[in-house]
Amino acid sequence: MCSIKIESVVKEKNRMGECPVWEERENALVYVDINSQKVCRWNSVTNEVHSVSVDARVGSVALRKCGGYVIALGTRFAFLNWEMESVTTIAELEQDKPNNRFNDGKVDPKGRFFAGTMAEETEPGVRARRQGALYTLFPDYSVVKQLDQVDISNGLDWSLDHRTFFHIDSLAYAVHAFDYDVHTGKIACCKVLYQLEKKEQMPDGMCIDAEGKLWVACIDGGRVIRIDPETGKRIQTVKLPASRITSCCFGGKDYSEMYVTSAYDGLDKAALAKEPRAGEIFKVIGFCFFQ
């Protein structure tokens, strides 16, 4: 009988923790705090958190084979040299949309960096619709637009056979599946895979497990849900001790641990008093499958 256990491992609170990715060579979890304009790294051995501040809101971070990171910040792609704390711009996009910024991103099985944009709110709950897009940064530094008229480009991942690309546009409250050509990096033929229920609230970040099942973080829903792409059904729910759950990934020595980010921005004083762990990062263990 499997028994899920949850603990807070990063108690340094994030305004908008996002895009966790496990870095084996450092035994560390790398992630961003979007609204604090920081890329962060938590060392699982020393329990220390180090961060590098950047000059714009940073939506996503990914590992580079040669060391360091690629990030999507503001409306540009860039490299981050961790030791030098320096940022080198690769490409600038959407210069005609000053209210846009990059959001979630991830590297595909061939090393291409996918990341999408969104319009910022002009006031609480108000944003221009369908201003975002999904882009791919190729290893030769060229950039291709994959999708247009996106509201909030968010969670993304690929099936284990690399034939399907999964993507979330948060305001559609759904997970979409696309045909994927791993050789060219092109996507096609979109369909709705899963429509979130009212209690699950809005989908945010996403990852895939060793059985090919998707895990979707539900912001304001206080949970991550496991979806079977073969049936389009939810098969598991894990509730967390914070409502603004933003993203998730697997990591640890054998990738059997799930790391879940959260946020405290968007909560008023009364809500924060009820959620003392909002903005922390949680570790979930005890799954019935081997990661």
Side-chain angles (χ1 to χ4, degrees):
M1 186 72 176
C2 301
S3 178
I4 296 292
K5 296 181 180 179
I6 300 168
E7 66 172 305
S8 173
V9 292
V10 182
K11 300 184 184 300
E12 185 174 305
K13 299 181 185 297
N14 297 282
R15 292 180 60 189
M16 186 62 66
E18 272 279 11
C19 196
V21 58
W22 184 257
E23 186 171 14
E24 284 187 28
R25 59 195 170 206
E26 298 289 341
N27 289 311
L29 185 75
V30 182
Y31 57 97
V32 301
D33 185 341
I34 297 176
N35 294 347
S36 295
Q37 301 182 188
K38 296 191 300 186
V39 180
C40 308
R41 191 165 74 187
W42 169 71
N43 187 302
S44 65
V45 178
T46 66
N47 202 34
E48 295 177 327
V49 177
H50 295 282
S51 62
V52 174
S53 295
V54 294
D55 63 2
R57 288 185 175 181
V58 52
S60 46
V61 58
L63 313 180
R64 297 185 69 197
K65 187 176 181 179
C66 62
Y69 309 101
V70 60
I71 59 176
L73 73 165
T75 52
R76 68 190 198 268
F77 286 116
F79 291 139
L80 171 63
N81 184 309
W82 188 261
E83 286 71 27
M84 300 295 292
E85 298 190 7
S86 62
V87 174
T88 303
T89 297
I90 305 166
E92 297 192 29
L93 303 161
E94 299 189 359
Q95 298 300 291
D96 59 330
K97 296 182 177 181
N99 201 45
N100 272 20
R101 68 161 173 85
F102 266 111
N103 200 41
D104 208 354
K106 190 169 289 184
V107 173
D108 87 341
K110 292 292 186 180
R112 310 173 187 104
F113 184 41
F114 280 61
T117 58
M118 57 175 281
E120 293 273 37
E121 292 184 341
T122 52
E123 57 183 273
V126 178
R127 77 177 76 244
R129 297 295 303 271
R130 299 180 178 87
Q131 296 299 303
L134 177 69
Y135 297 93
T136 302
L137 173 68
F138 285 75
D140 65 359
Y141 305 167
S142 62
V143 178
V144 171
K145 182 186 289 187
Q146 300 271 14
L147 294 174
D148 210 348
Q149 296 190 335
V150 177
D151 277 312
I152 302 176
S153 185
N154 229 318
L156 60 169
D157 219 321
W158 290 262
S159 60
L160 300 186
D161 64 6
H162 305 163
R163 297 175 64 181
T164 306
F165 170 66
F166 303 106
H167 179 253
I168 289 171
D169 182 348
S170 289
L171 294 190
Y173 290 85
V175 180
H176 291 86
F178 296 78
D179 291 340
Y180 190 65
D181 187 331
V182 72
H183 303 292
T184 65
K186 292 182 179 179
I187 63 175
C189 301
C190 170
K191 69 175 183 179
V192 175
L193 178 68
Y194 180 81
Q195 194 76 43
L196 270 75
E197 299 177 8
K198 185 176 181 180
K199 64 183 178 182
E200 294 164 345
Q201 297 290 334
M202 184 184 292
D204 200 329
M206 174 170 59
C207 70
I208 195 165
D209 65 31
E211 295 184 344
K213 307 301 190 288
L214 297 173
W215 288 88
V216 177
C218 301
I219 192 166
D220 297 323
R223 67 193 69 191
V224 291
I225 56 175
R226 192 183 191 212
I227 299 166
D228 186 344
E230 296 297 320
T231 64
K233 303 294 185 182
R234 183 188 71 246
I235 54 177
Q236 189 174 357
T237 298
V238 176
K239 294 185 178 180
L240 283 301
S243 61
R244 308 216 77 200
I245 298 302
T246 54
S247 194
C248 53
C249 77
F250 285 94
K253 185 178 180 180
D254 56 4
Y255 284 82
S256 63
E257 304 164 347
M258 176 186 283
Y259 291 92
V260 182
T261 52
S262 70
Y264 69 79
D265 271 9
L267 298 175
D268 59 23
K269 289 184 177 181
L272 284 170
K274 295 178 181 178
E275 293 187 34
R277 298 169 76 177
E280 297 180 9
I281 297 178
F282 307 99
K283 181 173 74 174
V284 185
I285 59 173
F287 296 103
C288 291
F289 54 89
F290 181 77
Q291 187 55 30

